[in-house]
Amino acid sequence: MATSKSASSGRFGVRYGRKIREKVSEIEKKSRSLYKCPYCNKIKVKRVFAGVWHCKSCSNKFTGKAYTPY
Ligand SMILES: [Zn+2]
């Protein structure tokens, strides 16, 4: 299937409607980016899965919101 969409929500194709897909790609972008660690203050925190975050620098694992750590 050929698609020119580069956003992460492109995999949905034309399903679910434009607004929804825009929202999904926005959330996925947020959930994939690195965040500042509340323990060591380094930008090394990555989402493990919804609500769980892990710092690559100090190896702390903590819970936060589903798509952003705080
Ligand atoms: Zn840390």
Side-chain angles (χ1 to χ4, degrees), residues 37 40 55 58:
C37 175
C40 64
C55 174
C58 64

Side-chain angles (χ1 to χ4, degrees), residues 1 7-17 20-21 24-25 28:
M1 190 169 78
S8 61
S9 61
R11 68 177 187 272
F12 294 130
V14 294
R15 281 170 290 162
Y16 309 121
I20 300 268
R21 277 182 280 121
V24 166
S25 67
E28 290 194 336

Side-chain angles (χ1 to χ4, degrees), residues 10-69:
R11 68 177 187 272
F12 294 130
V14 294
R15 281 170 290 162
Y16 309 121
R18 191 179 146 77
K19 276 271 148 62
I20 300 268
R21 277 182 280 121
E22 273 173 13
K23 200 129 218 164
V24 166
S25 67
E26 192 185 296
I27 287 169
E28 290 194 336
K29 213 161 93 187
K30 265 188 201 167
S31 67
R32 278 176 195 166
S33 49
L34 291 169
Y35 286 89
K36 196 166 145 185
C37 175
Y39 299 95
C40 64
N41 282 323
K42 283 175 185 162
I43 314 289
K44 287 278 184 185
V45 172
K46 244 191 142 209
R47 198 179 80 125
V48 185
F49 49 84
V52 179
W53 298 81
H54 177 250
C55 174
K56 276 186 193 166
S57 182
C58 64
S59 292
N60 256 309
K61 224 175 211 178
F62 57 96
T63 54
K65 289 180 182 172
Y67 301 111
T68 53

